[in-house]
Amino acid sequence: MTTTAESIAPLHAEMTAWRRDLHAHPELGFQEARTAGLVAQRLESFGIEVVRGVGRTGVVGTLRAGTSGRAVGLRADMDALPIAEANAFAHRSRHAGLMHACGHDGHTAMLLGAARHLAQTRRFDGIVHFIFQPAEEGLGGARAMIEDGLFERFPCEAVFGMHNRPSLGVGRFAVRSGPMMAGGAFFDIHVTGRGSHGARPEAGVDSALVAAQIAVSLQSIVARNVAPLQSAVLSVTRIQAGDAYNVIPQSASLGGTVRAFSRDVMRLVEDSMRRVAAGTAEAFGARAELDFRELFAPTVNHPEEAEFAARICTELVGAEQVERQPPLNMASEDFSYMLERVPGCYLNIGNGGAEGGCEVHNPGYDFNDAALPLGAAFFARLVETRFPARGAAAVA
Ligand code: NI
């Protein structure tokens, strides 16, 4: 007998309570002390071996059943965002200016539910590493765990991660092979001119004018350097120069973000930006330096693991509830770094349909608890199917 959303339903009330407690106590990346503590305590109470402090505030739980040495990694993220919550319900954030606006509270509760269920039932032959990752929201939590030896200390033949999607109804999944989400970088360009009196431009080099020219010229990169059938986004989201009305500023800066679905396109954009920034500045007698920081690799699913995840989803909810060609998303996800190390798949679980439901990163967002049993069932069934218990066929 393999797990279904119905067979895991007895844990629904408990998962909901965990999820709402996490929602009420959001913590930013690498500050998830309370969250990580609760996760570790609960895993231990299920009889699961726990290692704390993997990648600073990360937690890994390991469950073994049978005799097989094959292992799979299941990953949830734990961090919240610096957003002031607009909701008024009882489980709203108790921490001013912080909230779980991306549903990581739900991801953590679903993986804990799967851990509890698998520890109780143990209908598999192999090893599961439950990976509770800190700091997914641009602070490098996945990389911190990897650099702390995640896959050397807890070797996995495959790794799976799941994120809620409010635009997808509860009871549905979306999964595809290949690119799923874009890679992302943040950049700053520092322009140095020569300050002078606002009425005597001939005595200076106007860094504000140079910054404006660079902002315009950067827009030629996606339009003219990236091949039309590739995609990329380059957004200048901040420009700063000067403090006075009568001073031509000595220096100026621009900042923003770049997104692309491949490492090659990301590199092309970065190289082009360096050339455009330096060359434009030089044309005006100024200097410009680009600081380009890649924060997220493109999230690219491996074909076999994507097929396997889709099969589990189909068994749980039926083929018509599984979107196999979901639209590409220019947002980013740092599970991408785990997928660069170990074959695996990142998928979406439907979280829409709740009253007042809205997109993630909105101050009115709340994870829809109706999705909890299905998410937990996905993880549990994945383990049972990948590592069948000896004699399972005869029992089934
Ligand atoms: Ni998220």
Side-chain angles (χ1 to χ4, degrees), residues 26-338:
E27 295 172 304
L28 290 178
F30 292 126
Q31 297 172 31
E32 306 95 335
R34 181 185 185 276
T35 308
L38 282 173
V39 164
Q41 273 170 24
R42 286 191 188 121
L43 291 172
E44 280 171 343
S45 78
F46 310 152
I48 291 173
E49 206 178 296
V50 171
V51 178
R52 295 167 165 83
V54 182
R56 295 164 65 180
T57 41
V59 175
V60 179
T62 298
L63 177 66
R64 294 179 172 81
T67 54
S68 166
R70 290 175 63 191
V72 72
L74 306 176
R75 173 275 203 174
D77 39 15
M78 302 189 289
D79 56 322
L81 284 157
I83 296 175
E85 180 154 12
N87 295 312
F89 46 60
H91 62 278
R92 70 185 174 277
S93 171
R94 307 281 190 274
H95 299 169
L98 304 184
M99 81 173 281
H100 270 294
C102 202
H104 299 185
D105 48 350
H107 305 162
T108 298
M110 290 192 291
L111 191 55
L112 278 174
R116 172 162 206 163
H117 181 77
L118 285 166
Q120 269 172 357
T121 51
R122 293 180 189 250
R123 291 188 301 244
F124 65 99
D125 185 14
I127 302 168
V128 192
H129 298 301
F130 301 97
I131 301 167
F132 290 89
Q133 184 208 303
E136 191 284 321
E137 298 285 357
L139 295 172
R143 275 197 283 196
M145 290 190 91
I146 291 166
E147 282 160 15
D148 205 1
L150 176 65
F151 293 123
E152 290 77 32
R153 295 159 73 187
F154 310 96
C156 300
E157 65 174 38
V159 65
F160 295 87
M162 186 158 53
H163 203 291
N164 77 93
R165 202 167 96 198
S167 60
L168 193 67
V170 164
R172 292 176 67 80
F173 289 100
V175 57
R176 62 185 298 154
S177 180
M180 185 83 181
M181 296 180 84
F186 289 169
F187 65 84
D188 287 291
I189 296 172
H190 300 285
V191 178
T192 309
R194 192 167 60 247
S196 67
H197 194 289
R200 295 195 60 235
E202 76 281 11
V205 174
D206 187 351
S207 64
L209 176 64
V210 174
Q213 290 287 348
I214 290 174
V216 172
S217 299
L218 288 176
Q219 293 308 319
S220 72
I221 295 171
V222 173
R224 304 285 82 179
N225 299 130
V226 175
L229 293 177
Q230 301 274 15
S231 51
V233 177
L234 192 169
S235 295
V236 175
T237 56
R238 41 195 290 168
I239 301 182
Q240 282 153 337
D243 302 298
Y245 290 100
N246 57 353
V247 177
I248 289 173
Q250 166 102 3
S251 60
S253 65
L254 304 90
T257 187
V258 174
R259 307 291 161 123
F261 281 107
S262 80
R263 275 259 156 91
D264 288 348
V265 172
M266 188 66 95
R267 200 146 305 128
L268 170 77
V269 172
E270 179 184 353
D271 291 347
S272 303
M273 288 178 72
R274 212 171 287 287
R275 187 186 66 242
V276 166
T280 304
E282 199 190 340
F284 289 82
R287 276 188 300 116
E289 272 172 44
L290 170 69
D291 174 19
F292 192 91
R293 305 180 298 279
E294 186 201 272
L295 299 173
F296 302 93
T299 302
V300 182
N301 285 336
H302 297 244
E304 276 179 34
E305 283 67 28
E307 274 314 309
F308 178 69
R311 173 188 155 195
I312 303 300
C313 296
T314 303
E315 287 173 6
L316 284 169
V317 295
E320 52 305 334
Q321 300 299 325
V322 183
E323 268 188 40
R324 292 308 318 277
Q325 291 299 323
L328 292 171
N329 187 336
M330 291 310 289
S332 304
E333 161 63 59
D334 80 352
F335 184 65
S336 54
Y337 291 105
M338 297 193 185

